[in-house]
């Protein structure tokens, strides 16, 4: 039949769109929709596509396209950044999962080769599903996100020797000398590719870019990807490995962003094609006839992988919460396992019945993963509330260090925001203590004398040992939305009077964080827009004080919409409407300020700016409502009250003469 292949593609995408649309209405993840669509239209469903050979071809194309996209997003720099969770956590996870699975399989079958092969299949997790869920939840840079990505990178690198060992176990790889030769061949190919990524490919792309031909650049990218995939296949390796290496070559070039921009729009389609193809391979009659066996196998695999992965991550992170979240996220069987399973089946290593059981059970684990990841924070919080699991948290060691602190600042997260605040607090003499889950950051900061400790801020015991009950302010600056909500809830219960300031990424999280007890929520999304506004106006030579007025207006109007009344307090403006536009500000008088050595009567500050001096702090003394004859000194801290515009004028008026003129 003419255009049969094109017809199959049209059916796949049309059915996928319909299924995903209806599942989206009930908030079911799109990956589940792709798999469901494959089951529906496959030869064991409605039979809209009945050619198994074409289905397997589609699955292979999907894998090649998927791995090319993964490779282009991956780089050696990323591996180096995540080397600790990748090498230690990933190594432990793959070794332990493979060993346990092989042991159980040998106990059931008595076949050593089949047992080792089953260990390969179960050890791998789904890079596509996990990364997609982490990006949707904004947790890629969270502690559990970094751990999961590190383990997944290690798993992906293990596919090369696993594929070679599969043919060896099937008796098609010859003896040990042939296996060693194949491994050396694989290492040689990878080395050639990495050398190309470092020198040859950037040089070629540079010459192509100089032609300023978009078409030539795009065609060259396609040539590189297909050419490397074909090269690896010719050397006895897989097309999938070649596609991954092709993406890796491009990712390490200076033109990676341009190549990525041209490829990424098709990423979801690539993922969809792969998962639809997997769904079509499922024998629905076998699945329904053996549903109890499939459910039991899937449950055992999921729980065992979750437990082993949690243990592996805990050995690196020493945080029970991060370990548990990572374990639940890595508990499914991965897409590389389907590639290995197909190779094992074609080599006669995997019987048809066991192949269908593996496909069906793996499908269940993959479908369950999005639901498990979304509910994992609640599951883990409840599980860690039990006494025996609490003892896994190493953070009680901080107790002896901060016992005397009071009125201090607690910083949770020692990234850029946390470090900048700590430096400022140190300069101003305000006591603080920091908490961080990245052991490398803790070690480096402790070496510089920072009062920082390793621990999980979601643990009430950890916060109590940081004297949260006597703290005056809590700053939360971590990239983990679920953990932030938990920390705010726990901290507010421990200290109802403490001021809680939260940095978050998105505006949509503001309301919920305010509801659970945060006093102030600063969304990066909004602050980035303010910075862009400032730079645009500055570029058009708008006066600085006018820019400040616009920024103040944007902040006041936008944050007023974001800051709904806290459930803990009633805003003063609802009691006294006249105060709705009144704000306060403090200002430190430095050398050169026009206020130093002059009196209030001489300065006419209120007449000139509209702001009023309510109080002055001089050393340990506070002078309230200073009179007209009051004379200012260097080092005085002035408390101003007035409308935002008046305060802005006053602050500019009080600046040292040189700075004011320079502004």
């Amino acid at each position: 039949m003419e255009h049969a292949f094109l017809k199959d593609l049209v059916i796949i995408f049309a059915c996928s769109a319909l299924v995903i649309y209806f599942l989206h209405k009930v908030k079911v993840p799109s990956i589940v929709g792709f798999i469901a669509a494959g089951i529906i239209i496959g030869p064991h469903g409605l039979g809209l596509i009945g050619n198994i050979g074409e289905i397997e071809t589609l699955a292979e194309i999907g894998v090649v396209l998927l791995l090319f996209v993964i490779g282009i997003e991956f780089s050696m720099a990323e591996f180096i950044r995540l080397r600790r969770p990748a090498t230690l956590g990933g190594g432990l996870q793959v070794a332990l999962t493979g060993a346990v699975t092989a042991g159980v399989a040998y106990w059931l079958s008595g076949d050593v080769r089949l047992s080792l092969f089953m260990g390969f299949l179960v050890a791998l997790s789904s890079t596509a599903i996990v990364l997609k869920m982490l990006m949707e939840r904004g947790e890629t840079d969270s502690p559990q996100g970094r751990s999961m990505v590190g383990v997944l990178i290690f798993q992906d690198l293990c596919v090369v020797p696993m594929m070679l060992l599969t043919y060896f176990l099937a008796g098609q790889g010859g003896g040990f000398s042939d296996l060693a030769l194949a491994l050396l061949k694989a290492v040689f190919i990878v080395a050639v590719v990495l050398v190309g990524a470092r020198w040859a490919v950037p040089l070629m792309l540079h010459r192509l870019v100089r032609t300023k031909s978009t078409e030539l650049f795009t065609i060259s990218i396609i040539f590189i990807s297909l050419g490397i995939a074909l090269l690896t296949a010719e050397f006895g390796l897989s097309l999938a490995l070649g596609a991954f290496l092709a993406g890796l070559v491009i990712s390490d070039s200076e033109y990676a962003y341009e190549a990525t921009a041209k490829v990424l729009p098709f990423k979801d389609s690539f993922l969809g094609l792969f998962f639809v193809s997997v769904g079509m391979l499922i024998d629905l009659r076998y699945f329904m006839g053996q549903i109890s066996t499939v459910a039991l196998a899937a449950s055992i695999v999921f729980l065992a992988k979750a437990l082993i992965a949690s243990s592996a991550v805990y050995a690196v992170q020493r945080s029970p919460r991060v370990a548990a979240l990572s374990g639940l996220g890595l508990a499914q069987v991965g897409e590389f396992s389907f590639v290995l399973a197909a190779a094992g089946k074609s080599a006669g290593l995997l019987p048809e019945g066991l192949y269908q059981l593996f496909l069906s059970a793996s499908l269940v684990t993959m479908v369950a993963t999005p639901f498990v990841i979304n509910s994992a924070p609640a599951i883990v919080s409840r599980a860690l509330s039990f006494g025996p699991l609490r003892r896994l948290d190493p953070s009680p060691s901080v107790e002896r260090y901060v016992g005397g602190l009071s009125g201090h600042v607690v910083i949770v997260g020692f990234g850029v925001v946390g470090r900048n605040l700590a430096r400022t607090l140190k300069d101003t003499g305000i006591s603080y203590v920091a908490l961080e889950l990245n052991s490398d950051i803790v070690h480096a900061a402790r070496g510089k004398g920072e009062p920082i400790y390793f621990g999980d801020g979601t643990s009430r015991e950890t916060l109590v040992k940081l004297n949260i009950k006597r703290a005056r302010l809590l700053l939360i600056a971590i990239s983990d939305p679920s953990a932030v909500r938990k920390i705010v809830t726990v901290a507010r219960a421990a200290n109802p009077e403490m001021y809680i300031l939260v940095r978050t990424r998105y505006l949509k999280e503001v309301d919920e964080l305010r509801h659970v007890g945060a006093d102030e929520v600063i969304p990066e999304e909004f602050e980035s827009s303010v910075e862009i506004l400032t730079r645009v106006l500055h570029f058009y030579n708008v006066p600085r004080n006018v820019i400040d007025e616009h920024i103040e207006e944007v902040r006041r109007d936008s944050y007023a919409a974001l800051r709904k009344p806290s459930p803990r307090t009633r805003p003063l403006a609802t009691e006294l409407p006249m105060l709705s536009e009144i704000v306060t500000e403090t200002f430190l008088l430095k050398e050169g300020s026009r206020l130093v050595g002059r009196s209030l009567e001489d300065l006419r500050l209120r007449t000139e700016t509209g702001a009023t001096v309510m109080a002055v702090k001089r050393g340990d003394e506070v002078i309230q409502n200073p009179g007209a004859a009051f004379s200012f000194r260097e080092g005085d801290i002035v408390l101003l009250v007035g409308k935002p515009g008046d305060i802005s004028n006053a602050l500019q008026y009080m600046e040292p003469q040189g700075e004011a003129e320079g502004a």
Side-chain angles (χ1 to χ4, degrees), residues 78-125:
E78 181 73 4
F79 181 79
I80 293 172
R81 185 176 74 90
L82 299 171
R83 61 189 180 279
R84 181 176 172 82
T87 55
L88 296 181
L92 281 173
Q93 185 274 329
V94 171
L96 291 176
T97 306
V100 170
T101 304
V104 173
Y106 181 76
W107 177 62
L108 294 174
S109 67
D111 188 330
V112 176
R113 297 182 305 158
L114 178 61
S115 301
L116 291 174
F117 182 65
M118 292 304 299
F120 295 165
L121 297 182
V122 177
L124 304 177
S125 303

Short mmCIF file of all heavy atoms in Angstrom, two decimals, residues 78-125:
data_model
loop_
_atom_site.label_atom_id
_atom_site.label_comp_id
_atom_site.label_asym_id
_atom_site.label_seq_id
_atom_site.Cartn_x
_atom_site.Cartn_y
_atom_site.Cartn_z
N GLU A 78 28.47 18.93 32.63
CA GLU A 78 27.37 18.54 33.51
C GLU A 78 27.75 17.31 34.32
O GLU A 78 27.45 17.21 35.50
CB GLU A 78 26.12 18.25 32.67
CG GLU A 78 24.90 17.86 33.47
CD GLU A 78 24.27 19.01 34.23
OE1 GLU A 78 24.74 20.15 34.08
OE2 GLU A 78 23.33 18.76 35.00
N PHE A 79 28.43 16.37 33.67
CA PHE A 79 28.85 15.17 34.39
C PHE A 79 29.85 15.52 35.49
O PHE A 79 29.78 14.98 36.60
CB PHE A 79 29.48 14.17 33.41
CG PHE A 79 29.93 12.89 34.07
CD1 PHE A 79 29.02 11.90 34.38
CD2 PHE A 79 31.26 12.68 34.40
CE1 PHE A 79 29.42 10.73 34.99
CE2 PHE A 79 31.68 11.52 35.01
CZ PHE A 79 30.75 10.54 35.31
N ILE A 80 30.77 16.42 35.20
CA ILE A 80 31.76 16.83 36.21
C ILE A 80 31.07 17.52 37.38
O ILE A 80 31.41 17.30 38.55
CB ILE A 80 32.81 17.76 35.57
CG1 ILE A 80 33.65 16.97 34.56
CG2 ILE A 80 33.70 18.39 36.63
CD1 ILE A 80 34.59 17.82 33.74
N ARG A 81 30.06 18.36 37.08
CA ARG A 81 29.33 19.05 38.15
C ARG A 81 28.60 18.06 39.06
O ARG A 81 28.48 18.29 40.26
CB ARG A 81 28.32 20.02 37.54
CG ARG A 81 27.59 20.89 38.56
CD ARG A 81 26.69 21.88 37.87
NE ARG A 81 25.52 21.27 37.33
CZ ARG A 81 24.37 21.13 38.01
NH1 ARG A 81 24.29 21.55 39.26
NH2 ARG A 81 23.32 20.57 37.46
N LEU A 82 28.13 16.96 38.47
CA LEU A 82 27.36 15.98 39.23
C LEU A 82 28.16 14.70 39.46
O LEU A 82 27.58 13.63 39.64
CB LEU A 82 26.06 15.65 38.48
CG LEU A 82 25.10 16.81 38.25
CD1 LEU A 82 23.97 16.39 37.32
CD2 LEU A 82 24.52 17.30 39.57
N ARG A 83 29.49 14.81 39.47
CA ARG A 83 30.32 13.61 39.52
C ARG A 83 30.11 12.80 40.80
O ARG A 83 30.16 11.57 40.76
CB ARG A 83 31.80 13.98 39.37
CG ARG A 83 32.34 14.90 40.46
CD ARG A 83 33.74 15.39 40.11
NE ARG A 83 34.29 16.26 41.14
CZ ARG A 83 34.00 17.55 41.23
NH1 ARG A 83 33.17 18.10 40.36
NH2 ARG A 83 34.53 18.30 42.19
N ARG A 84 29.87 13.48 41.93
CA ARG A 84 29.72 12.73 43.17
C ARG A 84 28.43 11.90 43.19
O ARG A 84 28.48 10.69 43.40
CB ARG A 84 29.77 13.69 44.36
CG ARG A 84 29.65 13.00 45.71
CD ARG A 84 29.81 13.99 46.86
NE ARG A 84 29.51 13.42 48.14
CZ ARG A 84 30.36 12.69 48.86
NH1 ARG A 84 31.57 12.48 48.38
NH2 ARG A 84 30.02 12.20 50.02
N PRO A 85 27.24 12.51 42.97
CA PRO A 85 26.04 11.68 42.91
C PRO A 85 26.05 10.71 41.75
O PRO A 85 25.44 9.63 41.82
CB PRO A 85 24.90 12.70 42.77
CG PRO A 85 25.53 13.93 42.25
CD PRO A 85 26.92 13.94 42.82
N ALA A 86 26.75 11.06 40.65
CA ALA A 86 26.77 10.18 39.47
C ALA A 86 27.63 8.95 39.73
O ALA A 86 27.17 7.81 39.55
CB ALA A 86 27.26 10.94 38.25
N THR A 87 28.87 9.16 40.13
CA THR A 87 29.79 8.03 40.27
C THR A 87 29.50 7.19 41.51
O THR A 87 29.45 5.96 41.44
CB THR A 87 31.24 8.52 40.31
OG1 THR A 87 31.38 9.51 41.35
CG2 THR A 87 31.63 9.15 38.99
N LEU A 88 29.29 7.85 42.65
CA LEU A 88 29.04 7.09 43.88
C LEU A 88 27.59 6.61 43.96
O LEU A 88 27.33 5.42 44.09
CB LEU A 88 29.38 7.96 45.09
CG LEU A 88 30.85 8.37 45.23
CD1 LEU A 88 31.06 9.21 46.48
CD2 LEU A 88 31.75 7.15 45.27
N GLY A 89 26.66 7.56 43.86
CA GLY A 89 25.26 7.18 43.94
C GLY A 89 24.83 6.29 42.79
O GLY A 89 24.18 5.26 42.99
N GLY A 90 25.21 6.68 41.55
CA GLY A 90 24.85 5.88 40.39
C GLY A 90 25.51 4.52 40.40
O GLY A 90 24.88 3.50 40.08
N GLY A 91 26.79 4.49 40.78
CA GLY A 91 27.48 3.20 40.84
C GLY A 91 26.86 2.24 41.83
O GLY A 91 26.65 1.06 41.54
N LEU A 92 26.53 2.75 43.03
CA LEU A 92 25.88 1.90 44.04
C LEU A 92 24.52 1.43 43.57
O LEU A 92 24.15 0.26 43.73
CB LEU A 92 25.75 2.68 45.35
CG LEU A 92 27.00 2.79 46.22
CD1 LEU A 92 26.74 3.73 47.40
CD2 LEU A 92 27.40 1.41 46.74
N GLN A 93 23.74 2.35 42.97
CA GLN A 93 22.38 1.99 42.54
C GLN A 93 22.41 0.90 41.47
O GLN A 93 21.67 -0.09 41.57
CB GLN A 93 21.66 3.24 42.03
CG GLN A 93 20.20 3.02 41.67
CD GLN A 93 20.00 2.52 40.26
OE1 GLN A 93 20.78 2.84 39.37
NE2 GLN A 93 18.97 1.72 40.04
N VAL A 94 23.24 1.09 40.46
CA VAL A 94 23.30 0.10 39.37
C VAL A 94 23.83 -1.24 39.88
O VAL A 94 23.27 -2.31 39.58
CB VAL A 94 24.18 0.61 38.22
CG1 VAL A 94 24.44 -0.48 37.19
CG2 VAL A 94 23.52 1.81 37.55
N ALA A 95 24.89 -1.23 40.68
CA ALA A 95 25.48 -2.47 41.18
C ALA A 95 24.52 -3.23 42.10
O ALA A 95 24.32 -4.44 41.94
CB ALA A 95 26.79 -2.16 41.91
N LEU A 96 23.92 -2.52 43.05
CA LEU A 96 23.03 -3.18 44.00
C LEU A 96 21.75 -3.68 43.34
O LEU A 96 21.31 -4.81 43.58
CB LEU A 96 22.68 -2.22 45.15
CG LEU A 96 23.83 -1.86 46.10
CD1 LEU A 96 23.37 -0.82 47.12
CD2 LEU A 96 24.33 -3.11 46.81
N THR A 97 21.14 -2.84 42.49
CA THR A 97 19.91 -3.26 41.82
C THR A 97 20.17 -4.45 40.91
O THR A 97 19.39 -5.41 40.88
CB THR A 97 19.31 -2.10 41.01
OG1 THR A 97 19.14 -0.97 41.84
CG2 THR A 97 17.97 -2.49 40.41
N GLY A 98 21.27 -4.38 40.14
CA GLY A 98 21.60 -5.49 39.25
C GLY A 98 21.88 -6.78 40.02
O GLY A 98 21.43 -7.86 39.61
N ALA A 99 22.61 -6.67 41.12
CA ALA A 99 22.95 -7.86 41.90
C ALA A 99 21.72 -8.49 42.54
O ALA A 99 21.54 -9.72 42.50
CB ALA A 99 23.97 -7.49 42.98
N VAL A 100 20.86 -7.67 43.14
CA VAL A 100 19.65 -8.20 43.79
C VAL A 100 18.73 -8.84 42.76
O VAL A 100 18.20 -9.94 42.97
CB VAL A 100 18.91 -7.07 44.55
CG1 VAL A 100 17.54 -7.56 45.01
CG2 VAL A 100 19.73 -6.60 45.73
N THR A 101 18.54 -8.17 41.62
CA THR A 101 17.67 -8.72 40.57
C THR A 101 18.23 -10.03 40.03
O THR A 101 17.49 -11.01 39.83
CB THR A 101 17.51 -7.71 39.43
OG1 THR A 101 17.01 -6.48 39.94
CG2 THR A 101 16.56 -8.24 38.37
N ALA A 102 19.53 -10.05 39.77
CA ALA A 102 20.16 -11.28 39.26
C ALA A 102 20.03 -12.42 40.26
O ALA A 102 19.78 -13.57 39.87
CB ALA A 102 21.62 -11.01 38.93
N GLY A 103 20.18 -12.11 41.54
CA GLY A 103 20.05 -13.15 42.56
C GLY A 103 18.65 -13.74 42.61
O GLY A 103 18.48 -14.97 42.67
N VAL A 104 17.64 -12.88 42.56
CA VAL A 104 16.26 -13.36 42.57
C VAL A 104 15.95 -14.15 41.31
O VAL A 104 15.31 -15.21 41.35
CB VAL A 104 15.28 -12.17 42.72
CG1 VAL A 104 13.83 -12.64 42.57
CG2 VAL A 104 15.47 -11.49 44.06
N ALA A 105 16.41 -13.64 40.15
CA ALA A 105 16.16 -14.34 38.89
C ALA A 105 16.84 -15.71 38.86
O ALA A 105 16.26 -16.69 38.35
CB ALA A 105 16.65 -13.47 37.73
N TYR A 106 18.03 -15.82 39.41
CA TYR A 106 18.72 -17.12 39.44
C TYR A 106 18.00 -18.09 40.37
O TYR A 106 17.90 -19.29 40.08
CB TYR A 106 20.17 -16.93 39.90
CG TYR A 106 20.95 -18.22 39.92
CD1 TYR A 106 21.42 -18.78 38.74
CD2 TYR A 106 21.21 -18.88 41.12
CE1 TYR A 106 22.12 -19.99 38.74
CE2 TYR A 106 21.91 -20.07 41.14
CZ TYR A 106 22.36 -20.62 39.95
OH TYR A 106 23.04 -21.82 39.97
N TRP A 107 17.47 -17.57 41.48
CA TRP A 107 16.71 -18.42 42.41
C TRP A 107 15.46 -18.98 41.74
O TRP A 107 15.05 -20.11 42.00
CB TRP A 107 16.35 -17.59 43.64
CG TRP A 107 15.51 -18.32 44.64
CD1 TRP A 107 15.83 -19.45 45.34
CD2 TRP A 107 14.18 -17.98 45.04
NE1 TRP A 107 14.80 -19.83 46.17
CE2 TRP A 107 13.77 -18.93 46.00
CE3 TRP A 107 13.30 -16.95 44.70
CZ2 TRP A 107 12.51 -18.90 46.60
CZ3 TRP A 107 12.06 -16.91 45.30
CH2 TRP A 107 11.67 -17.88 46.23
N LEU A 108 14.86 -18.20 40.84
CA LEU A 108 13.64 -18.64 40.16
C LEU A 108 13.92 -19.49 38.92
O LEU A 108 13.14 -20.40 38.61
CB LEU A 108 12.80 -17.42 39.76
CG LEU A 108 12.22 -16.59 40.91
CD1 LEU A 108 11.54 -15.34 40.37
CD2 LEU A 108 11.22 -17.43 41.73
N SER A 109 15.02 -19.18 38.19
CA SER A 109 15.24 -19.85 36.91
C SER A 109 16.43 -20.80 36.90
O SER A 109 16.43 -21.77 36.13
CB SER A 109 15.44 -18.80 35.81
OG SER A 109 16.66 -18.09 36.02
N GLY A 110 17.45 -20.51 37.68
CA GLY A 110 18.65 -21.32 37.67
C GLY A 110 19.54 -21.07 36.46
O GLY A 110 20.53 -21.77 36.26
N ASP A 111 19.20 -20.04 35.66
CA ASP A 111 19.96 -19.71 34.45
C ASP A 111 20.83 -18.48 34.74
O ASP A 111 20.32 -17.38 34.95
CB ASP A 111 19.00 -19.42 33.30
CG ASP A 111 19.72 -19.27 31.97
OD1 ASP A 111 20.89 -18.84 31.96
OD2 ASP A 111 19.11 -19.56 30.93
N VAL A 112 22.15 -18.67 34.75
CA VAL A 112 23.07 -17.58 35.10
C VAL A 112 23.00 -16.46 34.08
O VAL A 112 22.92 -15.28 34.42
CB VAL A 112 24.51 -18.11 35.22
CG1 VAL A 112 25.48 -16.95 35.49
CG2 VAL A 112 24.62 -19.14 36.33
N ARG A 113 23.04 -16.81 32.78
CA ARG A 113 23.04 -15.79 31.74
C ARG A 113 21.76 -14.95 31.76
O ARG A 113 21.81 -13.73 31.68
CB ARG A 113 23.21 -16.44 30.37
CG ARG A 113 24.55 -17.17 30.18
CD ARG A 113 24.65 -17.73 28.78
NE ARG A 113 23.50 -18.60 28.49
CZ ARG A 113 23.08 -18.90 27.26
NH1 ARG A 113 23.71 -18.41 26.21
NH2 ARG A 113 22.04 -19.70 27.09
N LEU A 114 20.63 -15.61 31.87
CA LEU A 114 19.35 -14.90 31.92
C LEU A 114 19.27 -14.03 33.17
O LEU A 114 18.76 -12.90 33.12
CB LEU A 114 18.19 -15.89 31.90
CG LEU A 114 16.78 -15.29 32.01
CD1 LEU A 114 16.50 -14.36 30.84
CD2 LEU A 114 15.73 -16.39 32.09
N SER A 115 19.79 -14.52 34.29
CA SER A 115 19.74 -13.77 35.54
C SER A 115 20.55 -12.48 35.45
O SER A 115 20.10 -11.41 35.86
CB SER A 115 20.26 -14.64 36.70
OG SER A 115 19.50 -15.81 36.82
N LEU A 116 21.76 -12.58 34.89
CA LEU A 116 22.58 -11.38 34.72
C LEU A 116 21.90 -10.38 33.78
O LEU A 116 21.92 -9.17 34.03
CB LEU A 116 23.96 -11.76 34.17
CG LEU A 116 24.88 -12.52 35.13
CD1 LEU A 116 26.16 -12.96 34.41
CD2 LEU A 116 25.22 -11.67 36.35
N PHE A 117 21.28 -10.89 32.72
CA PHE A 117 20.61 -10.02 31.77
C PHE A 117 19.42 -9.31 32.43
O PHE A 117 19.20 -8.11 32.20
CB PHE A 117 20.14 -10.83 30.56
CG PHE A 117 19.47 -10.00 29.51
CD1 PHE A 117 20.16 -9.04 28.80
CD2 PHE A 117 18.12 -10.18 29.23
CE1 PHE A 117 19.54 -8.27 27.84
CE2 PHE A 117 17.49 -9.42 28.27
CZ PHE A 117 18.20 -8.46 27.56
N MET A 118 18.67 -10.01 33.24
CA MET A 118 17.54 -9.38 33.95
C MET A 118 18.05 -8.30 34.90
O MET A 118 17.39 -7.28 35.12
CB MET A 118 16.75 -10.44 34.72
CG MET A 118 15.99 -11.43 33.85
SD MET A 118 14.86 -10.63 32.68
CE MET A 118 13.75 -9.79 33.80
N GLY A 119 19.23 -8.52 35.47
CA GLY A 119 19.83 -7.49 36.32
C GLY A 119 20.10 -6.22 35.54
O GLY A 119 19.88 -5.11 36.04
N PHE A 120 20.58 -6.37 34.29
CA PHE A 120 20.79 -5.19 33.44
C PHE A 120 19.48 -4.44 33.21
O PHE A 120 19.42 -3.21 33.30
CB PHE A 120 21.36 -5.61 32.08
CG PHE A 120 22.73 -6.21 32.13
CD1 PHE A 120 23.25 -6.91 31.04
CD2 PHE A 120 23.53 -6.10 33.26
CE1 PHE A 120 24.51 -7.47 31.08
CE2 PHE A 120 24.80 -6.65 33.32
CZ PHE A 120 25.29 -7.34 32.22
N LEU A 121 18.43 -5.19 32.87
CA LEU A 121 17.15 -4.57 32.51
C LEU A 121 16.55 -3.77 33.65
O LEU A 121 16.07 -2.65 33.46
CB LEU A 121 16.16 -5.65 32.06
CG LEU A 121 16.50 -6.46 30.81
CD1 LEU A 121 15.39 -7.45 30.49
CD2 LEU A 121 16.76 -5.55 29.62
N VAL A 122 16.58 -4.34 34.85
CA VAL A 122 15.91 -3.71 35.99
C VAL A 122 16.75 -2.57 36.58
O VAL A 122 16.21 -1.64 37.18
CB VAL A 122 15.58 -4.76 37.07
CG1 VAL A 122 14.94 -4.12 38.30
CG2 VAL A 122 14.65 -5.83 36.50
N ALA A 123 18.06 -2.60 36.38
CA ALA A 123 18.93 -1.59 36.99
C ALA A 123 18.72 -0.19 36.41
O ALA A 123 19.01 0.80 37.07
CB ALA A 123 20.39 -1.99 36.83
N LEU A 124 18.20 -0.10 35.18
CA LEU A 124 18.07 1.19 34.50
C LEU A 124 16.73 1.85 34.79
O LEU A 124 15.71 1.18 34.91
CB LEU A 124 18.24 1.00 32.99
CG LEU A 124 19.55 0.34 32.55
CD1 LEU A 124 19.57 0.16 31.04
CD2 LEU A 124 20.75 1.18 33.00
N SER A 125 16.75 3.18 34.87
CA SER A 125 15.54 3.97 35.09
C SER A 125 15.29 4.87 33.88
O SER A 125 16.12 4.97 32.98
CB SER A 125 15.68 4.83 36.36
OG SER A 125 15.97 4.02 37.48
#
